C-alpha cells in the first residue's frame, strides 16, 4: 500500500499550484464580483495541457488518469472553484462523455483536447431538477438522416464559451446524445441567473429550436454512458470541494495567527483550535476518500460506490470547513474583501456540478442492499 | 400560570409589523437586497411606532414589551433582514435612552428617533482592533478644563447605519487606565465637526443595511450629551446587548422561516408536478429537523424576553437564545441550499438570500464563541 503521488502527479500538481498563485488567486476576487471573466486563464490552462487530461496522447490529449485530473482540479479550486468547475466540466463531463461514447472524429477531438475549442454537456432541465433525471428535450430523425433537436437546458457550465455541446434528448427509442454545434441555426444561449456561488463559472441556459444535427454527430445511447459520466462528475466535484476545503482551512489558520484579541492571537483560544483541528481532520479524510475513488476509477473502474462516498463527504466537509473559517474571521469574514466569504458561498453551490448528496446516499444504500458494495 | 401565548397587545404589535412587512416592505425587499438602503421602509415602520417598540406612546413609541419586540423583529426579518437589523439597532439605541437617559435627553434624541425624524440610530462600540474584546476599545473622550465638553477621538468599525443615523451612541474611554470601568457612553450628533464616515463594507448579505467605519477627530460633545454617569458606558453597552441578542435571535429565526417557507413551497410545487426526486424522506426528515430546531430556539428567545419583561437578570438566557437561534438559522439556511431546486440556488432567490443574510447573525452582537463564554461565566457565577 502506498499513499504517495507519482512523479507525474507531483509535477502536474506543482505546476497547477504555481499557476494558481500567479494567475488565479488575485483575479479570482474580481471574477467573482462580476468584473471580467476567466477566459484568458482557460487559454493558459490549455497551454498547460489541462484541457485534455483524459484524452490519449495519440488523440492530442495529455493521456493522464482520473486521479491526476482530480489532483489538478483540487489545486485549481484552491484559487477559484468556479474556474475549476469549468475545467472539470470540459475534461470529465463533456470530454468524458465523448470518450465513453467512443467518439472518433480525430481532428475535432484534438481541438477539444488542446483547448482550441471548449466542449460542454447540456443535461439538466427544468427549474426543479439538478440531476437531469427527466429529459423533455426531443430529437427526431429526419428523412435525410439528420436529427432535429428541440428543447431547453439550464445551468450548463461553459454554455456561453463552448463551441459545441453534447445534448441529451429523448427519442422514441430512449435517451440519446448528440454533439451540437452551438453556432448552428436555432440555438439560443443566454447567461444563466447568478447563483449564490461559483460565480466565475460560465453558466448558460440553452434553447434548441428545431436545430438540425448531422447524422455523424450522433453519440449513441445516453443511458449507456450515464453511469461513467455521473461518476466522473461526482469525483471531479469532490476534487473541487477538496480545493475549497483546503483554501478555507488555510485562510482560517493564517487569519487566526494574525488577528489578536484579548492580547493574543485568536489561534491560541481553544475554540479556534478545535475548529482548526476538526477542519484539518475532515480535509484529510475527504482527501483520502477522493484520491482512492479517483484511483479506482483510473484503474478498475469498479468502485463499490467509493465515488459517492467521497463526493458526499468532500462536499459536506467543504461546507463545514468554510463555515468555521468564516467564523474565525469575525466580521471580516462577512465581507467580500476576504476569500473565505466566497468559499462559504461556493461550498453550498457545488452540488449543481453533480447530483446532490441525498441522491448519492440513496445510491450507496441501494448498492449495500444488493450486495454490490461487498459489505455483505 | 404558565402560558406561551403572547398577550393581546403583543399580538397587536406583531400584527402591525406583519402587515407592514408583508405589504409595502415585501415589494421593496429585493431592491434592498440589491443594495438600496431601506429609507422608505424604515420611515414606514416608524409611522407605526415600530422604531421604538418599548418606548412610551407619548414619545412616539408603542409602549410594548420585549416579547412584542422579538415578535415584531421576526416578522420584519422574514421579509427583509436588512430592514430588520436597521430597525433592531434603532430600537436598541432608543431603549438605552429610555433606560439611562434624562427627560431632556429623551426629548432631544429619542423622540426624533421614534417619529422617523431621524432615519435611524447607531450604536458604536466595535473598533478595528476591539471586536470580541470590546472593553479594550481605544476611542478616547477627554473632558475640557472647564468641564463643559468632551473631545472624542478614535475610529469605530462595522457601525450599522453609521452614515444615516441621526444619533450615534458612542462608547469611549474617559479613563484609559480603568479598563471596562473607564468607558462612558455619549450621544453624538453626526453633524458635529470632526466626525466623518469612512468606508462602506461590501457584505455577503444584509446588503440593504449600511455598515461603515466612523472617525472621530476631536469631536466636541457637551457634557449633557453623556448618557449616564462616567464609567458606566460598558454596562450600558452590555445591557443593550442583552436585549439586542434576543432581537438578533428573532432576526435569525425570521430569516430561517423565509428559507423554510421557500423549501416547503418548492416541494409542494414539485409534488404537484408529480416529479418528486425519489428521496422524499431525506427531504421530509430534514424539514422536520429544521422546524424543530427553529421551534426550540424561538421558545428560548421568547423566554429570555419574558424574563426581561419580568425585570429579571437574563444575560445567560439571552446568550443561550442568541447562540442557539443563530446556529439553528445557520443549519436551516444551509440545509435549504441542499434541498433547493436549481432555480432556488440563484443568489437572489429566497433561499439564496437567506443563506447569505443569516450568516452574520453568528458574528455580530457577540460571536457564538463569545455567547458561550458568557453562558459558562454565568453558570460558574451561579454555582
Ligand atoms: C454586518 C455587521 C454589522 C455590525 N454592526 C455593528 C454595530 O452596529 N455596532 C458595533 O459596535 N459593532 C457592530 N458589528 C461588529 C460586531 O459586533 C463584531 O464583528 C463582533 O463583535 C466580532 O468582532 P470582530 O469582527 O472583531 O471579530 P474578532 O473579535 O476578531 O473574532 C474573530 C474570531 O475569534 C473568536 N474569538 C475572539 N475572542 C475569543 C475568545 N476569547 N475565545 C474564543 N474565541 C474568540 C471570535 O469568536 C471569532 O470567531 C457589526 C458587524 C457586522 C459584520
Amino acid at each position: 500500500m502506498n499513499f504517495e503521488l507519482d512523479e507525474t502527479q507531483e509535477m502536474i500538481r506543482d505546476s497547477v499550484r504555481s499557476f494558481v498563485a500567479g494567475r488565479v488567486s488575485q483575479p479570482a476576487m474580481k471574477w467573482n464580483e462580476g468584473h471580467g471573466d476567466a477566459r484568458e486563464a482557460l487559454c493558459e490552462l490549455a497551454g498547460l495541457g489541462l484541457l485534455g487530461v483524459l484524452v490519449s496522447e495519440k488523440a492530442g490529449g495529455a493521456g493522464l488518469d482520473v486521479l491526476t485530473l482530480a489532483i489538478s482540479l483540487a489545486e485549481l479550486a484552491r484559487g477559484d472553484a468556479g474556474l475549476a468547475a469549468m475545467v472539470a466540466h470540459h475534461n470529465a463531463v463533456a470530454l468524458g462523455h465523448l470518450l465513453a461514447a467512443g467518439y472518433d472524429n480525430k481532428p475535432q477531438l484534438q481541438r477539444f483536447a488542446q483547448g482550441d475549442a471548449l466542449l460542454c454537456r447540456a443535461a439538466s432541465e427544468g427549474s426543479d431538477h439538478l440531476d437531469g433525471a427527466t429529459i423533455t428535450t426531443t430529437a427526431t430523425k429526419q428523412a435525410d438522416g439528420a436529427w432535429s433537436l428541440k428543447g431547453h437546458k439550464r445551468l450548463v457550465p461553459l454554455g456561453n464559451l463552448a463551441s459545441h455541446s453534447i445534448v441529451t434528448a429523448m427519442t422514441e427509442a430512449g435517451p440519446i446524445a448528440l454533439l451540437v454545434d452551438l453556432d448552428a441555426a436555432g440555438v439560443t444561449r443566454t447567461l444563466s441567473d447568478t447563483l449564490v456561488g461559483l460565480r466565475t463559472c460560465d453558466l448558460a441556459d440553452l434553447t434548441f429550436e428545431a436545430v438540425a444535427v448531422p447524422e455523424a454527430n450522433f453519440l449513441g445511447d445516453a443511458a449507456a454512458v450515464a453511469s461513467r459520466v455521473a461518476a466522473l462528475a461526482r469525483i471531479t466535484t469532490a476534487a473541487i470541494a477538496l480545493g475549497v476545503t483546503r483554501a478555507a482551512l488555510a485562510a482560517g489558520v493564517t487569519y487566526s495567527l494574525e488577528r489578536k484579541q484579548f492580547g493574543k492571537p485568536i489561534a491560541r483560544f481553544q475554540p479556534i483550535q478545535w475548529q482548526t483541528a476538526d477542519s484539518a481532520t475532515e480535509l484529510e479524510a475527504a482527501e483520502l476518500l477522493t484520491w482512492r475513488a479517483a484511483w479506482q476509477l483510473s484503474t478498475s473502474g469498479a468502485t463499490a460506490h467509493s465515488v459517492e462516498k467521497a463526493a458526499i463527504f468532500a462536499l459536506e466537509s467543504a461546507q463545514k470547513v468554510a463555515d468555521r473559517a468564516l467564523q474565525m474571521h469575525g466580521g471580516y469574514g462577512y465581507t467580500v474583501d476576504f476569500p473565505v466569504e466566497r468559499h462559504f458561498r461556493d461550498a453550498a453551490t457545488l452540488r449543481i456540478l453533480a447530483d446532490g448528496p441525498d441522491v448519492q446516499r440513496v445510491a450507496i444504500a441501494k448498492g449495500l442492499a444488493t450486495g454490490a458494495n461487498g459489505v455483505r | 400560570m404558565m402560558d406561551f401565548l403572547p398577550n393581546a397587545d403583543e399580538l397587536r404589535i406583531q400584527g402591525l409589523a406583519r402587515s407592514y412587512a408583508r405589504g409595502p416592505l415585501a415589494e421593496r425587499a429585493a431592491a434592498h437586497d440589491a443594495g438600496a438602503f431601506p429609507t422608505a421602509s424604515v420611515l414606514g415602520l416608524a409611522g407605526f411606532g415600530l422604531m421604538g417598540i418599548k418606548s412610551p406612546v407619548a414619545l412616539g413609541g408603542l409602549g410594548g414589551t420585549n416579547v412584542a419586540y422579538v415578535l415584531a423583529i421576526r416578522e420584519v426579518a422574514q421579509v427583509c433582514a436588512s430592514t430588520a437589523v436597521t430597525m433592531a439597532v434603532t430600537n436598541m439605541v432608543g431603549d438605552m435612552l429610555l433606560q439611562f437617559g434624562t427627560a431632556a435627553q429623551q426629548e432631544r434624541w429619542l423622540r426624533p428617533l421614534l417619529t422617523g425624524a431621524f432615519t435611524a440610530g447607531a450604536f458604536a462600540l466595535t473598533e478595528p482592533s476591539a471586536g470580541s474584546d470590546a472593553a479594550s476599545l481605544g476611542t478616547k473622550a477627554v473632558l475640557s478644563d472647564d468641564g463643559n465638553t468632551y473631545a472624542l477621538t478614535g475610529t469605530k468599525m462595522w457601525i450599522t447605519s453609521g452614515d444615516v443615523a441621526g444619533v450615534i451612541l458612542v462608547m469611549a474611554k474617559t479613563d484609559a487606565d480603568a479598563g471596562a470601568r473607564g468607558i462612558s457612553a455619549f450621544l453624538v450628533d453626526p453633524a458635529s465637526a470632526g466626525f466623518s464616515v469612512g468606508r462602506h463594507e461590501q457584505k455577503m448579505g444584509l446588503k440593504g443595511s449600511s455598515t461603515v467605519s466612523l472617525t472621530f477627530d476631536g469631536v466636541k460633545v457637551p457634557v449633557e450629551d453623556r448618557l449616564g454617569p462616567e464609567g458606566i458606558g460598558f454596562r450600558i453597552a452590555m445591557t443593550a446587548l442583552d436585549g439586542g441578542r434576543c432581537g438578533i435571535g428573532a432576526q435569525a429565526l425570521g430569516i430561517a422561516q423565509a428559507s423554510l417557507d421557500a423549501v416547503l413551497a418548492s416541494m409542494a410545487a414539485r409534488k404537484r408536478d408529480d416529479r418528486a426526486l425519489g428521496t422524499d424522506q431525506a427531504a421530509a426528515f430534514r424539514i422536520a429537523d429544521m422546524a424543530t430546531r427553529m421551534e426550540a430556539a424561538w421558545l428560548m428567545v421568547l423566554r429570555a424576553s419574558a424574563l426581561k419583561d419580568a425585570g429579571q437578570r437574563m444575560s445567560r438566557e439571552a446568550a443561550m437564545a442568541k447562540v442557539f437561534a443563530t446556529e439553528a438559522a445557520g443549519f436551516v439556511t444551509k440545509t435549504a441550499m441542499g434541498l433547493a431546486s436549481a432555480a432556488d440556488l440563484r443568489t437572489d432567490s429566497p433561499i439564496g438570500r437567506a443563506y447569505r443574510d443569516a450568516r452574520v447573525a453568528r458574528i455580530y452582537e457577540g460571536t457564538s464563541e463569545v455567547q458561550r463564554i458568557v453562558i459558562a461565566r454565568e453558570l460558574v457565577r451561579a454555582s
Side-chain angles (χ1 to χ4, degrees):
Chain A
M1 213 159 177
N2 173 3
F3 290 92
E4 265 157 37
L5 303 185
D6 68 27
E7 244 172 68
T8 319
Q9 288 160 347
E10 270 189 18
M11 200 188 74
I12 288 176
R13 183 199 58 195
D14 293 346
S15 79
V16 178
R17 190 172 286 175
S18 62
F19 176 75
V20 166
R23 310 291 294 142
V24 178
S25 295
Q26 279 309 312
M29 303 289 267
K30 279 190 285 144
W31 295 334
N32 281 277
E33 291 287 291
H35 306 302
D37 61 35
R39 239 176 271 207
E40 211 179 306
L42 280 172
C43 290
E44 290 169 4
L45 284 165
L48 292 177
L50 276 172
L51 293 185
V53 178
L54 302 179
V55 178
S56 71
E57 283 179 284
K58 260 205 338 245
L64 296 167
D65 61 6
V66 179
L67 177 55
T68 312
L69 175 62
I71 291 167
S72 315
L73 290 170
E75 283 302 324
L76 203 50
R78 288 171 72 178
D80 189 319
L83 175 62
M86 291 192 283
V87 175
H89 185 79
H90 172 84
N91 273 295
V93 178
L95 276 172
H97 185 133
L98 220 49
L99 295 174
Y103 183 75
D104 59 4
N105 178 337
K106 289 261 165 56
Q108 184 62 283
L109 190 57
Q110 179 160 346
R111 272 198 291 280
F112 293 137
Q114 301 194 337
D116 298 334
L118 293 166
L119 179 65
C120 63
R121 178 176 181 269
S124 77
E125 301 183 357
S127 60
D128 48 7
H129 286 275
L130 287 171
D131 59 350
T134 318
I135 303 178
T136 58
T137 300
T138 56
T140 328
K141 190 107 183 178
Q142 306 299 107
D144 61 0
W147 295 87
S148 174
L149 182 67
K150 192 170 169 358
H152 186 63
K153 302 281 184 177
R154 304 192 68 232
L155 292 172
V156 181
L158 289 174
N160 297 293
L161 296 178
S163 68
H164 291 73
S165 178
I166 296 171
V167 181
T168 55
M170 277 315 273
T171 66
E172 271 166 22
I176 60 157
L178 296 170
L179 181 64
V180 181
D181 179 347
L182 291 176
D183 289 328
V187 179
T188 321
R189 333 187 193 192
T190 47
L191 225 53
S192 303
D193 294 328
T194 305
L195 301 185
V196 168
L198 297 181
R199 293 193 185 157
T200 300
C201 182
D202 166 38
L203 290 171
D205 295 350
L206 304 178
T207 305
F208 304 97
E209 200 52 65
V211 176
V213 182
E215 199 174 7
N217 288 8
F218 174 66
L219 297 174
D221 181 0
V225 298
S227 75
R228 173 76 182 170
V229 174
L232 287 169
R234 288 165 179 175
I235 198 67
T236 51
T237 306
I240 296 170
L242 281 184
V244 172
T245 307
R246 191 173 277 285
L249 174 64
V253 170
T254 306
Y255 187 81
S256 70
L257 289 167
E258 282 165 8
R259 174 69 172 172
K260 285 189 180 145
Q261 283 293 280
F262 301 96
K264 51 183 163 184
I266 57 169
R268 301 251 294 274
F269 294 114
Q270 282 181 350
I272 304 286
Q273 294 174 342
W274 298 329
Q275 294 187 33
T276 304
D278 287 349
S279 292
T281 307
E282 281 161 21
L283 169 64
E284 181 109 2
E287 201 167 75
L288 289 171
L289 281 167
T290 304
W291 293 167
R292 190 198 50 177
W295 170 76
Q296 285 179 331
L297 272 180
S298 307
T299 52
S300 57
T303 67
H305 290 294
S306 63
V307 171
E308 288 71 23
K309 291 169 191 160
I312 293 171
F313 195 84
L315 246 69
E316 293 182 352
S317 298
Q319 284 187 271
K320 279 192 267 186
V321 173
D323 184 69
R324 292 187 193 116
L326 190 153
Q327 185 69 16
M328 285 179 208
H329 282 68
Y332 295 91
Y334 199 57
T335 68
V336 302
D337 304 330
F338 284 81
V340 74
E341 180 267 347
R342 167 159 53 91
H343 302 327
F344 178 76
R345 290 185 288 101
D346 286 346
T349 314
L350 283 172
R351 56 178 278 252
I352 65 152
L353 302 176
D355 40 18
D358 287 344
V359 177
Q360 300 182 38
R361 282 192 168 88
V362 174
I364 295 173
K366 282 184 179 156
L368 288 166
T370 59
N373 277 328
V375 167
R376 289 197 302 171
Chain B
M1 190 194 74
M2 195 150 174
D3 82 48
F4 291 94
L5 302 175
N7 66 31
D9 196 52
E10 289 159 349
L11 289 174
R12 179 184 67 87
I13 292 171
Q14 177 183 24
L16 288 176
R18 174 176 296 192
S19 58
Y20 190 79
R22 298 188 185 182
L25 182 58
E27 283 165 30
R28 294 190 286 255
H32 296 334
D33 181 45
F37 182 83
T39 311
S41 305
V42 161
L43 285 178
L45 290 166
F48 289 101
L50 289 160
M51 282 303 180
I53 292 171
K54 288 170 266 173
S55 293
V57 177
L59 281 170
L62 286 172
T65 61
N66 287 284
V67 167
Y69 173 67
V70 293
L71 284 164
I73 290 283
R74 187 182 160 135
E75 290 294 339
V76 173
Q78 200 173 324
V79 175
C80 176
S82 296
T83 301
V85 73
T86 312
M87 168 185 169
V89 174
T90 302
N91 267 276
M92 182 164 90
V93 171
D95 291 353
M96 291 309 100
L97 275 158
L98 197 62
Q99 204 170 328
F100 296 97
T102 62
Q105 285 175 331
Q106 289 175 9
E107 197 55 45
R108 161 100 200 266
W109 305 103
L110 183 54
R111 189 185 289 278
L113 203 56
L114 303 180
T115 56
F118 290 168
T119 303
F123 176 84
L125 173 65
T126 310
E127 299 182 358
S129 55
S132 297
D133 186 10
S136 72
L137 62 86
T139 298
K140 286 183 304 192
V142 180
L143 190 59
S144 61
D145 291 340
D146 61 10
N148 289 334
T149 47
Y150 290 92
L152 262 60
T153 303
T155 303
K156 296 289 179 180
M157 194 170 171
W158 307 113
I159 307 309
T160 300
S161 309
D163 58 331
V164 292
V167 56
I168 305 169
L169 180 58
V170 181
M171 301 332 128
K173 287 229 160 116
T174 40
D175 182 348
D177 302 322
R181 290 206 178 77
I183 297 172
S184 306
F186 299 91
L187 297 158
V188 176
D189 178 349
S192 310
F195 170 82
S196 59
V197 175
R199 68 183 246 129
H200 287 243
E201 301 297 340
Q202 298 298 312
K203 308 186 296 292
M204 168 161 57
L206 291 192
K207 287 170 177 283
S209 145
S210 78
T211 314
V212 296
S213 66
L214 303 177
T215 304
F216 302 84
D217 186 5
V219 174
K220 297 273 187 296
V221 180
V223 269
E224 57 268 25
D225 291 344
R226 191 187 65 227
L227 187 67
E230 271 196 7
I232 70 155
F234 200 66
R235 207 186 95 209
I236 293 178
M238 292 305 116
T239 308
L241 292 177
D242 278 349
R245 284 167 183 165
C246 295
I248 299 305
Q251 185 210 19
L253 292 173
I255 297 169
Q257 189 68 53
S259 191
L260 176 59
D261 288 349
V263 168
L264 292 172
S266 105
M267 282 176 59
R270 270 185 263 184
K271 200 163 164 215
R272 265 201 307 282
D273 291 357
D274 196 26
R275 292 191 297 178
L277 277 179
T279 51
D280 271 342
Q281 271 196 326
F285 275 51
R286 286 188 206 285
I287 60 173
D289 283 349
M290 289 157 87
T292 304
R293 286 203 209 183
M294 285 167 59
E295 188 80 13
W298 181 234
L299 289 174
M300 293 173 80
V301 169
L302 282 178
R303 182 170 117 91
S305 305
L307 282 173
K308 194 162 162 69
D309 284 329
Q312 294 188 32
R313 194 183 154 79
M314 40 68 87
S315 298
R316 184 188 70 188
E317 289 80 0
M320 286 177 162
K322 200 237 173 199
V323 69
F324 196 85
T326 58
E327 290 187 356
F331 169 79
V332 169
T333 52
K334 173 183 107 168
T335 307
M337 286 290 288
L339 293 172
S341 65
D344 288 336
L345 292 174
R346 280 191 346 259
T347 189
D348 56 0
S349 75
I351 290 173
R353 171 145 65 96
Y355 183 70
R356 293 181 292 105
D357 283 346
R359 187 63 187 83
V360 74
R362 287 183 274 155
I363 295 168
Y364 62 16
E365 301 211 6
T367 64
S368 296
E369 290 71 30
V370 166
Q371 307 307 321
R372 290 188 167 89
I373 292 171
V374 171
I375 295 164
R377 194 178 57 211
E378 293 286 319
L379 288 168
V380 171
R381 186 208 302 257
S383 74

